[in-house]
């Protein structure tokens, strides 16, 4: 479904990403792992065209979208839950969700999307008239995910959605992601912690210093005895 | 007493014009963060286009009712706003220029507009025919010329419409979303380029309307743009850049200070021209967020 090859890009003149290639198949849940500063969020920005891409191709269902702008990518079925959530805090929950659906072509689907998101996160339905800035951190994250789902994406990108959340909320959101996957959504999850990624993805890419260092099934990754030093080992220079 | 009430009408009318110019600034500033000082010249252009449309200077076929002049101004200014955005702002944004670049480019646009107006219409003021004449009318205790009441009515109706657009429609919310966070707005699927274009087109239309409405009271003159740009900007700072209502409030406050000061303060009337600057400095020092601060900082 998603096919990225040799993508490079970055902020200002410096490239953060170096020839990143990855694939996500239809219905798959893939994790993008890596330590702080590995370029995971930069890759998310490049995939959603909020950062200029200097080289490489991006295909979605075989369609070449390498030069597409952000709103075209949303219309093509890709949605990102960005790092730091970026919800519109002065707006109500309702308005945030409505904006998420701005790319929906047909109005009739709006009610259907609302029902779907409220079914996934019933708490949002209770808080629909409340200003987003007054929600708790967990609820804000649910809103950020719900808002991304309003455009009826086929591929959902999530950038560290569990950051700073209480364990209870984490398992609630993990359950929601599992349900989304059962409903046929393809997921690419950016995460720092391996253990969380293991609970809701089947395959993983490990990014280091702006490049993909390793690709593996999450199951195999979990079996590795050197799991805890993995980032350190991968980033160390290889001795001949 | 009737003297004071007449002053209220006159100040409300002037304040409405300032408010319209402030609204033109605001429509562009909110989603793009660009302060466009050329809105004053756009207002002047609106005045001249209105005169031309009404006095058959350019198109004899259009010698008709006032609403044709209104349409001519809206169409011309909308097209000019679109052209300016496409030729100066869009290429700079596409090249990732710093936000000061389009602001400076638009100062160049200001000069181009003023000089073009001088070349096209000459340096002398052109009288602009008032659509409802100059006969004094009174509504209860409030009296003035019809044009003043027309200005006030149009301004309040327009502000109500713009307020409803921002608060009640999804595209109005989208504009606000772009103002709050461009990246998040793009991730929603909002077309940022289209929003920028719409901001400039609507800003130019509102500025042109302000010039058209005020021209019967002041004549159309190539030097009318700069004072309007300053007064509109001051109104924006007084009201606060975050809210549509702020522009209206700021315009009214500025006009009342100007006119009450000119009437009752023991100073030469020429000094009242400095009032916007005094208010501008006071507000920037004491209350930079304006009377109506934005709901929440980005």
């Amino acid at each position: 479904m998603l096919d990225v090859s040799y993508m490079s890009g970055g902020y200002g003149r410096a490239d953060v990403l170096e020839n990143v290639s990855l694939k996500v198949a239809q219905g798959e849940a893939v994790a993008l792992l890596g330590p702080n500063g590995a370029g995971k969020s930069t890759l998310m920005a490049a995939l959603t065209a909020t950062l200029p891409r200097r080289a490489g191709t991006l295909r979605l269902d075989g369609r070449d979208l390498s030069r597409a702008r952000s709103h075209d990518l949303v219309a093509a079925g890709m949605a990102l839950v960005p790092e730091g959530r970026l919800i519109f805090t002065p707006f109500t929950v309702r308005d945030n969700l409505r904006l998420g659906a701005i790319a929906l072509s047909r109005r009739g689907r709006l009610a259907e999307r609302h029902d779907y998101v409220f079914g996934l996160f019933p708490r949002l339905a209770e808080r629909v008239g409340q200003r987003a800035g007054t929600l708790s951190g967990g609820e804000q994250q649910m809103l950020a995910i719900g808002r991304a789902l309003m455009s009826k994406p086929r591929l959902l990108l999530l950038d560290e959605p569990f950051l700073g959340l209480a364990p209870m909320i984490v398992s609630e959101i993990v359950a929601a992601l599992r349900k989304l996957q059962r409903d046929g959504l393809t997921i690419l999850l950016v995460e720092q912690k391996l253990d969380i990624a293991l609970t809701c993805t089947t395959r993983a890419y490990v990014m280091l210093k702006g490049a993909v260092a390793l690709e593996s099934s999450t199951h195999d990754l979990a079996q590795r005895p050197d799991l805890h030093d993995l980032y350190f080992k991968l980033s160390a220079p290889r001795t001949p | 007493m009737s003297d004071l009430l007449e002053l209220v009408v006159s100040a409300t009318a002037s304040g409405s014009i300032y408010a319209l110019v402030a609204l033109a600034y605001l429509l562009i500033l909110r989603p793009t963060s660009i302060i466009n000082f050329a809105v004053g010249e756009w207002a002047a252009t609106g005045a001249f286009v209105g005169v031309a449309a009404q006095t058959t200077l350019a198109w004899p076929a259009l010698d008709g009712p006032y609403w044709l002049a209104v349409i001519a101004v809206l169409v011309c200014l909308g097209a000019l706003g679109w052209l300016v955005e496409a030729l100066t702002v869009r290429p700079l944004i596409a090249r990732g220029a710093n936000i000061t670049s389009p602001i400076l480019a638009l100062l160049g646009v200001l000069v181009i507009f003023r000089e073009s107006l001088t070349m096209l219409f000459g340096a002398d003021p052109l009288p602009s025919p008032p659509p409802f004449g100059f006969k004094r009318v009174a509504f209860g205790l409030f009296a003035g010329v019809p044009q003043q009441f027309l200005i006030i009515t149009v301004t309040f109706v327009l502000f109500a419409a713009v307020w409803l657009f921002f608060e009640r429609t999804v595209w109005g919310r989208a504009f606000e979303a772009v103002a709050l966070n461009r990246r998040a707005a793009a991730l929603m699927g909002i077309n940022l380029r289209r929003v920028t274009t719409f901001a400039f087109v609507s800003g130019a239309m509102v500025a042109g309307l302000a010039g058209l409405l005020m021209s019967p009271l002041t004549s159309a003159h190539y030097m009318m743009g700069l004072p309007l740009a300053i007064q509109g900007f001051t109104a924006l700072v007084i009201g606060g850049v975050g809210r549509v209502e702020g522009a209206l409030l700021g315009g009214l406050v500025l006009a009342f200070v100007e006119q009450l000061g000119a009437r009752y303060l023991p100073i030469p009337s020429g000094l009242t021209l400095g009032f916007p600057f005094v208010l501008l400095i006071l507000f920037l020092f004491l209350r930079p967020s304006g009377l109506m601060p934005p709901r929440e900082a980005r």
Side-chain angles (χ1 to χ4, degrees):
Chain A
M1 153 159 262
L2 176 71
D3 185 349
V4 180
S5 45
Y6 304 109
M7 185 165 283
S8 299
Y11 302 90
R13 291 217 178 98
D15 271 357
V16 176
L17 304 173
E18 279 174 53
N19 297 329
V20 174
S21 299
L22 56 85
K23 278 181 189 171
V24 183
Q26 172 75 43
E28 209 182 3
V30 175
L32 184 65
L33 300 162
N36 248 335
K40 306 184 298 294
S41 294
T42 309
L43 179 61
M44 290 302 112
L47 291 181
T48 52
T50 51
L51 172 91
R53 296 179 288 230
R54 259 184 283 278
T57 57
L58 186 157
R59 283 172 187 282
L60 202 63
D61 289 330
R63 233 177 105 195
D64 186 1
L65 294 170
S66 310
R67 301 195 159 273
R69 288 179 292 159
S70 304
H71 60 271
D72 298 321
L73 290 160
V74 177
M78 194 161 102
L80 169 67
V81 180
E83 185 188 24
R85 310 192 265 267
L86 304 187
I87 55 170
F88 302 111
T89 49
F91 294 177
T92 59
V93 168
R94 182 186 293 112
D95 281 350
N96 269 279
L97 292 175
R98 183 65 189 87
L99 282 170
I102 206 158
L104 272 189
S105 47
R106 272 178 294 131
R107 255 195 100 74
R109 290 202 294 181
L110 190 61
E112 180 254 320
R113 292 320 292 164
H114 268 119
D115 292 346
Y116 186 79
V117 168
F118 290 152
L120 196 67
F121 299 120
R123 283 209 237 173
L124 290 182
E126 294 163 23
R127 309 231 184 283
V128 71
Q130 213 170 306
R131 278 178 21 154
T134 65
L135 300 179
S136 73
E139 289 164 347
Q140 291 194 10
Q141 191 59 60
M142 291 174 191
L143 177 59
I145 297 172
R147 188 182 63 170
L149 291 171
M150 287 300 286
S151 64
K152 200 167 174 48
R154 287 169 302 128
L155 170 66
L156 184 67
L157 314 173
L158 300 114
D159 195 348
E160 300 208 26
F162 306 111
L163 201 67
L165 297 184
M168 280 260 296
I169 308 285
V170 170
S171 43
E172 213 171 313
I173 291 178
V174 165
L177 293 186
R178 287 219 182 101
K179 181 180 182 315
L180 288 174
Q181 213 198 339
R182 277 198 304 279
D183 292 349
L185 192 68
T186 309
I187 290 173
L188 179 59
L189 171 73
V190 171
E191 191 45 67
Q192 270 197 58
K193 299 200 193 86
L194 293 162
D195 50 342
I196 294 182
L198 288 171
T199 61
C200 46
T201 58
T202 51
R203 200 159 61 83
Y205 289 94
V206 179
M207 256 185 106
L208 285 171
K209 295 178 182 171
V212 172
L214 180 76
E215 188 213 332
S216 161
S217 80
T218 37
H219 181 76
D220 291 350
L221 212 53
Q223 302 302 317
R224 283 179 74 133
D226 58 349
L227 184 65
H228 292 286
D229 316 317
L230 188 64
Y231 295 159
F232 178 72
K233 279 205 175 143
L234 286 170
S235 60
R238 291 205 182 92
T239 42
Chain B
M1 187 63 187
S2 75
D3 181 52
L4 178 68
L5 290 175
E6 219 161 290
L7 191 139
V8 166
V9 173
S10 148
T12 309
S14 304
S16 296
I17 296 295
Y18 303 161
L20 287 177
V21 178
L23 180 62
Y25 274 113
L26 189 75
L27 284 170
I28 296 169
L29 179 66
R30 284 294 281 163
T32 65
S33 305
I34 294 170
I35 300 171
N36 173 20
F37 288 105
V39 288
E41 302 310 314
W42 286 353
T45 309
F48 278 106
V49 171
V51 171
Q54 287 177 85
T55 59
T56 75
L57 193 73
W59 312 290
L62 273 183
D63 183 11
Y66 190 65
W67 58 265
L68 274 179
V70 176
I71 291 174
V73 167
L74 292 180
V75 169
C76 285
L77 267 294
L80 287 170
W82 177 81
L83 207 64
V84 165
E85 194 273 325
L87 292 181
T88 62
V89 178
R90 196 181 302 166
L92 288 170
I93 291 181
R95 285 183 178 80
N98 192 299
I99 201 71
T100 47
S101 308
I103 296 175
L104 291 175
L106 288 164
L107 283 177
V109 168
L110 182 159
V111 177
I112 292 170
F113 267 80
R114 177 186 303 170
E115 297 311 315
S116 308
L117 288 177
T118 323
M119 288 194 316
L120 282 170
F121 298 99
D124 295 324
L126 288 182
S128 174
F132 299 107
F134 267 120
K135 203 156 166 278
R136 200 179 121 96
V137 287
F139 292 97
L141 288 169
F142 298 97
V145 292
Q147 189 67 22
Q148 289 172 326
F149 290 106
L150 179 69
I151 289 172
I152 296 167
T153 312
V154 170
T155 302
F156 278 77
V157 168
L158 188 68
F159 266 89
V162 172
W163 187 86
L164 282 174
F165 170 74
F166 277 114
E167 296 293 323
R168 293 283 182 270
T169 72
V170 63
W171 277 104
R173 294 271 92 177
F175 263 59
E176 283 294 291
V178 175
L180 287 168
N181 190 316
R182 288 179 73 80
R183 175 155 184 252
L187 290 173
M188 297 299 97
I190 296 167
N191 186 336
L192 294 185
R193 192 196 280 177
R194 193 175 294 166
V195 168
T196 305
T197 304
F198 186 86
F200 273 82
V201 169
S202 59
M205 283 176 158
V206 170
L209 195 63
L212 174 72
L213 283 171
M214 80 176 284
S215 62
L217 301 176
T218 63
S219 299
H221 189 262
Y222 81 102
M223 284 296 282
M224 72 192 281
L226 193 61
L228 273 180
I230 294 166
Q231 285 153 333
F233 185 71
T234 308
L236 188 70
V237 171
I238 293 174
V241 294
R243 312 259 287 264
V244 170
E245 314 89 283
L248 183 56
L249 183 67
L252 293 175
V253 168
L254 173 60
F256 273 88
V257 170
E258 273 185 351
Q259 301 216 2
L260 289 171
R263 186 77 184 76
Y264 296 108
L265 284 182
I267 54 170
S269 65
L271 284 184
T272 59
L273 288 174
F275 280 0
F277 293 106
V278 174
L279 276 177
L280 191 60
I281 291 166
L282 279 178
F283 266 87
L284 288 177
F285 266 119
L286 301 175
R287 200 176 162 82
S289 62
L291 292 172
M292 304 198 86
R295 289 196 184 84
E296 200 167 320
R298 64 190 66 188

